[in-house]
Amino acid sequence: MKVMVSMEEFKGQPRLPKFAVPKRYDIKLKPNLTTCKFAGSVAIELKIVADTSFIVLNAAELSIGTTSVSFTHPAAHSSNSKQQVLKPLKVDVVEEDEILVLNFGDTLPIGLGLLTIHFQGSLNDKMKGFYISTYEHNDEKKNMAVTQFKPDDARRCFPCWDEPACKATFKITLDVPSELVALSNMPIIEEKVVGDLKTVSYQESPIMSTHLVAIVVGLFDYVEHLTSDGVKVRVYCQVGKVNPGKFALDVAVRTLELYEEYFAMPYSLPKLDMVAIPDFAFGSMENYGLVTYCETALLYDVQHSTTADKQRVVIAVAHELAHQWFGNLVTMEWRTHLWLNEGFATWVSYLAADRLFPEWKVWTQFLDDYTEGLGMDGLRESHPIEVKINHASEIDEIIDSISYIKGASVIRMLQSYLGADCFQRSLASYVKKFACSNAKTEDLWAALEEESGEPVNKLMNSWTKQKGYPVVSVKVIKVKHKKLVFEQSRFLASGSHGDGQWIVPITLCRGSYDAHKNFLLQTNSGTLDMKELMSDESNLASAWVKLNVDQTGFYRVEYDEDLEARLRNAIENKYLSATDRFGILDDSFALCMARQKSFTSFFILLNAYKEELEYTVLSNLIKISYKVDRITADAAPGSSVASFFIELFLHSAMKLGWEPKPGESHLDAMLRGDVLTALAVFGHNLTLEEASSRFLAFLDDRNTPLLHPDIRKAVYVAVMRRVSTSNRFGYESLLRVYRETNLSQEKTRILSSLTSSPDPNITLEALNFLLSSEVRTQDAVLGLAVSREGRETAWTWLKNYWEHISKTWGSGYLITHFINSIVSPFATFEKAEEIQEFFASRTNSKIARTLKQSIERVHINAYWAQSFRIELQNHLAWPIERIVQTYGVIL
């Protein structure tokens, strides 16, 4: 191994040098929740494995002096040796690389040693590293100390080898105010109270990565339960808020037991704590044995939470507990393999939710995520699932829909191809083999390949190592017999040509789900004799053909006109499953947006969904309707698709009504609010009137049954749609409700509604409110989805406050929400150029990819609007009734 002799050689490197390997950390911390400072020390048992006079590890935002560092050679512990303590000649903190370089001058002895460092730091307000979160207790504002180390912020709490492959054991001791609860990864073994302080010592942890170390100090109540094999599970909440934690507790206990069976491996720690944190940038974090959550992801209040909130708790808990095996016990070797942790946990969280609550049909709802992944990966500025990380600053930008959702989708596709039983056996084998160590993507493929006998590595490399995905076009040709001809090419939302070839698991049915065929499309094209699918010649001419059955494959499908007409008929006659109706709709919309399909044909397809009642399909249709409304208004100012979509959604709204029905399904309960929100956005007068009436009743009585939590968001949006500078009552009333409630879920509902007003002045006022001290930092992004009328106001606001926004949110991934939410909805080339010019001198590595993606979306929208204008002009000679009938557009 090369011996580095100059500190300069350590700068700008993607990884730490490997001449020292940590084995054990003994960490002592003393946080001061009043001054927001902390002091600490760490004694790291490490092994010098190559000649070096340097020790290089990670540290950031810590104060470390030359005299506070020492290295003790283990020979000192022998009775025949004199203790040898080495002091570094120089201690350098390289801020841009977040490394601590210790120069000892002389070559360090090969073998074990003890590195001791004393340090000081600040409890920051950035929701990363060791930070402060605020809460109220007995009407008094208080601080709690919380850690958030993923992906690479343990270095902000203590000097360490802050890389996932550098696993070690951790012994933690805390000095904290005696009245507070102090939690860490392991159970407490001793508490010593001296005056107002107590020293809390914890059991030593099993081997784990630094990003999984966790500490929480504050005032808490808890509820607890034991799993069937004796693991103590607790949910910690603010004092007086334990009841909303009981649902998550039950889910956690059942999920741990489920995973122990699924992975054929017991949970590896003696306890599992889950904590609700008021200020939390991520939805949740899988710290080993001490899982942290934002309050909305852990707490479910029967009286005030929505059905969707309940489902979110289940998915969040199942996701983080999956990491206890897949991420914590077996850890990615490097951040290139981040997707393996997050994609897998996303996929298996749905598997767990489906096992626990089969009546929820959560796999149909996975398609909401799946579509988000397809949307991002349809951009030229997407990235492969596996991304080479060259610097720590690049990590935040790959915590996105590709790593989580495309990752989960290709795992789902592979499981569907290999079969559920084979897939589960392979995972159990993989977890057993790599327990307490690190693994790469290829290690999982090898386990699956060994069990299945299939060429998994070759198959999956085409999905993980190149960006994008294919659109598979299918058409019927008649030679001697009718044949289906398939061709694959990269799908790009811009409609432009893209390179790439995939090994595509094709699934298809013809005329019935009993007549199905599976095969791998390994080349750019292929054929299939239709007789292989149906022996009855009389039905060959009219039977529908559906590719990508149940949307298990991560690709889009384009049908020829004849096949598309048959599918429309199948939708109208309810021959297809909800997931397949969803897939046809979503693919058709994407092709229309990419200008591969006309608006005319897309609106004709939409007519087939007039009697649609399934949540999965309608929720996607509602999202599509908002985009179509925005683009048509941009393309032809004064035009409107509102009446078309109102008619489309009224059928389901009439069926669902405003009140929950006894015994109604989980999905109907979630759908009601979405449909009513859509009708409010499109200006349906009866919906706006009813919402106003119910809101007034709610202002008089916050417990009125007239405003069930499932419809509150819809009512709040409806109220805001009638707010203007001259009619501020609804806006001011919502602010009053926001200020009076202590429920996080209620606050987030209001924040996500405040910018719905069509009045730009009200939108500006609402945006300014997001920046006020009344809104928690992580919640500000909830109000960025402004009304169509408020887009220009939001863009001006973003420019005016960019310096403040960048300073407040720029250190984490939340900054990307400001750009994506405000920039992406525009639809002119001129605006794209303006955006590019503004950010030309303001871009950094944390926002570069998001900015490029957002500007690409503006270009896509602009081309789409242009296409709509051309199509509309080509039909100006038509009678107005024909235009309305064809497009759903009123001129």
Side-chain angles (χ1 to χ4, degrees):
M1 184 181 292
K2 179 184 176 185
V3 179
M4 293 190 174
V5 295
S6 167
M7 188 187 81
E8 294 301 314
E9 295 189 50
F10 305 121
K11 294 182 178 180
Q13 300 297 318
R15 300 180 75 159
L16 294 170
K18 292 183 168 52
F19 39 62
V21 180
K23 298 294 182 182
R24 180 183 186 270
Y25 292 80
D26 190 341
I27 302 167
K28 295 182 171 71
L29 293 170
K30 185 178 181 180
N32 186 319
L33 274 64
T34 303
T35 64
C36 296
K37 305 285 186 182
F38 67 92
S41 67
V42 60
I44 309 170
E45 294 178 16
L46 51 83
K47 187 174 184 179
I48 304 295
V49 296
D51 289 340
T52 179
S53 58
F54 291 91
I55 293 177
V56 183
L57 62 163
N58 293 112
E61 299 169 12
L62 297 175
S63 176
I64 302 167
T66 305
T67 58
S68 62
V69 181
S70 65
F71 180 74
T72 307
H73 190 258
H77 304 302
S78 168
S79 60
N80 298 322
S81 303
K82 186 177 179 181
Q83 183 171 352
Q84 183 182 16
V85 180
L86 304 176
K87 290 284 188 177
L89 300 178
K90 196 172 183 184
V91 174
D92 287 299
V93 176
V94 183
E95 291 183 9
E96 59 269 27
D97 294 316
E98 299 181 343
I99 58 174
L100 173 65
V101 181
L102 308 175
N103 184 353
F104 289 88
D106 296 327
T107 301
L108 298 171
I110 299 292
L112 295 174
L114 184 68
L115 177 66
T116 303
I117 304 174
H118 294 264
F119 52 89
Q120 294 180 325
S122 296
L123 296 168
N124 67 72
D125 60 356
K126 305 297 183 186
M127 296 182 289
K128 61 190 291 186
F130 202 9
Y131 73 92
I132 282 289
S133 176
T134 61
Y135 62 103
E136 285 193 4
H137 178 65
N138 294 334
D139 295 325
E140 182 183 353
K141 185 177 179 180
K142 290 185 173 291
N143 291 335
M144 66 172 71
V146 185
T147 58
Q148 170 59 43
F149 291 162
K150 189 176 180 180
D152 60 346
D153 290 312
R155 64 192 67 179
R156 286 174 169 75
C157 183
F158 57 95
C160 57
W161 277 257
D162 203 8
E163 296 182 357
C166 297
K167 285 189 163 186
T169 61
F170 293 83
K171 178 76 175 72
I172 294 175
T173 304
L174 302 176
D175 287 334
V176 299
S178 56
E179 75 276 10
L180 300 183
V181 174
L183 304 172
S184 189
N185 305 83
M186 300 298 290
I188 295 170
I189 53 174
E190 185 181 37
E191 279 194 19
K192 289 182 180 178
V193 179
V194 180
D196 294 335
L197 289 178
K198 63 180 176 182
T199 299
V200 187
S201 300
Y202 303 86
Q203 289 180 23
E204 188 163 330
S205 77
I207 188 171
M208 64 181 183
S209 303
T210 50
H211 70 267
L212 299 173
V213 176
I215 294 161
V216 177
V217 180
L219 280 176
F220 295 101
D221 282 342
Y222 67 85
V223 286
E224 73 175 17
H225 196 56
L226 296 177
T227 65
S228 56
D229 55 356
V231 175
K232 184 181 289 183
V233 182
R234 286 181 175 178
V235 173
Y236 284 86
C237 316
Q238 290 183 49
V239 174
K241 284 189 175 183
V242 290
N243 281 336
K246 291 179 179 178
F247 177 67
L249 176 67
D250 177 64
V251 170
V253 169
R254 294 166 65 193
T255 302
L256 276 183
E257 294 172 348
L258 171 65
Y259 286 157
E260 287 187 329
E261 178 185 346
Y262 189 80
F263 295 119
M265 176 78 70
Y267 174 65
S268 54
L269 300 186
K271 62 93 173 176
L272 172 72
D273 294 331
M274 304 195 301
V275 191
I277 307 295
D279 299 282
F280 199 75
F282 293 84
S284 46
M285 172 60 203
E286 70 267 20
N287 314 300
Y288 220 169
L290 179 57
V291 185
T292 44
Y293 300 80
C294 66
E295 291 185 328
T296 54
L298 187 67
L299 306 182
Y300 172 71
D301 186 299
V302 176
Q303 192 172 1
H304 297 286
S305 300
T306 66
T307 306
D309 291 333
K310 186 176 187 179
Q311 182 171 302
R312 183 189 179 191
V313 169
V314 173
I315 295 293
V317 170
H319 181 108
E320 301 310 335
L321 299 199
H323 277 310
Q324 305 303 304
W325 284 263
F326 217 96
N328 299 4
L329 186 64
V330 180
T331 311
M332 59 184 174
E333 191 276 335
W334 181 238
R335 295 178 180 107
T336 294
H337 310 284
L338 170 77
W339 84 273
L340 193 58
N341 280 9
E342 298 304 344
F344 181 84
T346 301
W347 171 79
V348 85
S349 66
Y350 279 87
L351 182 143
D354 188 55
R355 296 276 182 92
L356 297 179
F357 301 96
E359 69 278 10
W360 290 4
K361 301 178 182 177
V362 293
W363 279 120
T364 66
Q365 296 165 70
F366 176 79
L367 298 182
D368 290 338
D369 285 348
Y370 163 91
T371 296
E372 185 182 336
L374 288 170
M376 178 172 281
D377 208 29
L379 301 176
R380 195 174 288 279
E381 290 292 342
S382 180
H383 63 81
I385 283 179
E386 291 188 58
V387 179
K388 185 177 180 181
I389 298 296
N390 294 310
H391 198 277
S393 62
E394 299 172 1
I395 299 167
D396 280 337
E397 279 217 300
I398 65 163
I399 301 176
D400 62 9
S401 298
I402 302 300
S403 297
Y404 282 71
I405 298 171
K406 183 181 180 181
S409 298
V410 299
I411 288 170
R412 175 172 173 255
M413 178 171 67
L414 181 60
Q415 188 235 22
S416 177
Y417 176 69
L418 297 178
D421 291 341
C422 171
F423 195 78
Q424 182 178 354
R425 289 193 303 271
S426 302
L427 286 176
S429 173
Y430 167 83
V431 169
K432 182 178 180 181
K433 182 176 180 179
F434 292 98
C436 301
S437 63
N438 297 83
K440 300 179 181 180
T441 300
E442 291 77 16
D443 296 319
L444 177 58
W445 298 161
L448 289 160
E449 201 162 286
E450 182 178 350
E451 180 69 34
S452 67
E454 295 284 348
V456 174
N457 192 60
K458 179 183 177 184
L459 167 64
M460 296 309 292
N461 279 349
S462 73
W463 295 95
T464 64
K465 294 187 182 297
Q466 65 177 334
K467 61 184 176 182
Y469 58 87
V471 54
V472 177
S473 63
V474 56
K475 60 184 177 181
V476 179
I477 62 167
K478 187 169 184 180
V479 189
K480 191 173 182 180
H481 299 291
K482 282 193 174 182
K483 290 182 180 292
L484 289 175
V485 177
F486 308 91
E487 291 184 359
Q488 64 157 301
S489 60
R490 182 181 174 189
F491 176 82
L492 284 169
S494 64
S496 55
H497 173 75
D499 297 322
Q501 183 174 307
W502 290 260
I503 300 177
V504 188
I506 299 289
T507 56
L508 69 154
C509 289
R510 178 172 172 76
S512 160
Y513 284 100
D514 294 328
H516 58 86
K517 178 80 173 177
N518 301 345
F519 67 93
L520 290 178
L521 180 62
Q522 303 195 52
T523 57
N524 283 331
S525 61
T527 61
L528 181 70
D529 194 318
M530 293 177 79
K531 278 193 171 183
E532 292 186 39
L533 287 165
M534 186 177 288
S535 57
D536 185 354
E537 294 278 351
S538 62
N539 288 327
L540 280 176
S542 60
W544 52 265
V545 174
K546 172 65 174 67
L547 267 68
N548 198 10
V549 178
D550 286 332
Q551 302 305 111
T552 56
F554 194 76
Y555 57 92
R556 295 200 182 278
V557 181
E558 181 178 17
Y559 300 92
D560 68 15
E561 288 185 13
D562 176 47
L563 291 174
E564 187 175 271
R566 298 186 204 180
L567 285 171
R568 280 200 306 273
N569 181 65
I571 292 167
E572 289 169 346
N573 287 284
K574 300 179 174 58
Y575 295 150
L576 299 177
S577 68
T579 50
D580 282 330
R581 297 197 303 276
F582 176 105
I584 294 164
L585 171 67
D586 200 63
D587 287 348
S588 182
F589 173 67
L591 289 164
C592 177
M593 197 170 180
R595 295 167 292 129
Q596 307 301 305
K597 176 189 287 291
S598 69
F599 268 87
T600 308
S601 62
F602 180 61
F603 272 93
I604 290 171
L605 174 68
L606 288 184
N607 280 310
Y609 289 87
K610 281 191 172 178
E611 295 185 4
E612 184 61 62
L613 293 172
E614 280 286 341
Y615 170 82
T616 304
V617 184
L618 273 173
S619 64
N620 193 38
L621 187 51
I622 288 167
K623 292 171 189 171
I624 288 170
S625 73
Y626 295 153
K627 293 176 184 176
V628 171
D629 175 56
R630 192 179 69 231
I631 291 299
T632 54
D634 285 338
S639 67
S640 173
V641 292
S643 61
F644 176 85
F645 284 117
I646 286 172
E647 184 183 350
L648 199 60
F649 300 138
L650 269 177
H651 176 71
S652 56
M654 298 292 285
K655 292 271 187 183
L656 292 164
W658 287 80
E659 309 284 352
K661 293 179 172 57
E664 73 179 356
S665 73
H666 174 83
L667 296 179
D668 280 353
M670 290 204 300
L671 179 59
R672 179 177 293 107
D674 284 0
V675 170
L676 292 174
T677 300
L679 289 173
V681 168
F682 287 119
H684 183 241
N685 280 325
L686 290 178
T687 300
L688 295 175
E689 290 291 342
E690 182 65 20
S692 179
S693 173
R694 288 172 181 264
F695 184 62
L696 290 174
F698 174 70
L699 292 178
D700 288 339
D701 175 12
R702 299 297 161 82
N703 295 312
T704 177
L706 291 175
L707 204 61
H708 188 276
D710 283 333
I711 64 167
R712 281 189 200 173
K713 170 72 182 292
V715 167
Y716 296 164
V717 168
V719 166
M720 287 305 302
R721 290 303 293 169
R722 286 188 162 180
V723 166
S724 65
T725 308
S726 59
N727 178 21
R728 297 174 52 85
F729 174 76
Y731 176 70
E732 290 171 352
S733 297
L734 277 174
L735 284 181
R736 189 167 72 252
V737 175
Y738 178 90
R739 288 164 176 149
E740 290 173 359
T741 185
N742 64 353
L743 296 167
S744 297
Q745 288 160 344
E746 180 73 342
K747 285 182 181 292
T748 60
R749 274 194 291 269
I750 294 170
L751 289 175
S752 63
S753 307
L754 284 179
T755 53
S756 302
S757 170
D759 187 323
N761 294 318
I762 298 296
T763 297
L764 179 59
E765 198 171 329
L767 289 168
N768 287 336
F769 179 70
L770 298 178
L771 303 182
S772 73
S773 60
E774 294 187 68
V775 178
R776 291 188 184 273
T777 306
Q778 82 270 7
D779 291 341
V781 298
L782 299 171
L784 298 177
V786 302
S787 65
R788 171 165 59 81
E789 301 89 347
R791 285 176 296 169
E792 194 61 48
T793 299
W795 168 235
T796 302
W797 173 83
L798 182 70
K799 289 186 292 183
N800 290 340
Y801 286 97
W802 178 251
E803 188 175 340
H804 169 74
I805 289 166
S806 185
K807 182 179 178 181
T808 306
W809 287 273
S811 64
Y813 84 103
L814 288 175
I815 187 71
T816 63
H817 288 267
F818 284 87
I819 296 170
N820 184 45
S821 297
I822 291 175
V823 168
S824 297
F826 285 109
T828 68
F829 299 111
E830 294 77 15
K831 184 60 69 176
E833 188 175 341
E834 180 188 335
I835 293 162
Q836 202 149 4
E837 287 176 3
F838 175 79
F839 281 107
S841 60
R842 297 172 174 87
T843 303
N844 58 52
S845 59
K846 286 187 178 294
I847 66 170
R849 193 192 301 273
T850 299
L851 181 60
K852 288 178 182 178
Q853 290 170 345
S854 298
I855 291 172
E856 183 181 352
R857 286 190 175 100
V858 177
H859 281 120
I860 290 166
N861 292 341
Y863 279 118
W864 194 29
Q866 189 178 72
S867 174
F868 177 74
R869 272 194 299 271
I870 293 169
E871 197 170 338
L872 202 58
Q873 288 166 4
N874 289 341
H875 297 97
L876 285 180
W878 290 9
I880 186 66
E881 294 81 5
R882 181 75 181 279
I883 296 175
V884 172
Q885 180 184 358
T886 304
Y887 290 98
V889 175
I890 299 174
L891 298 179

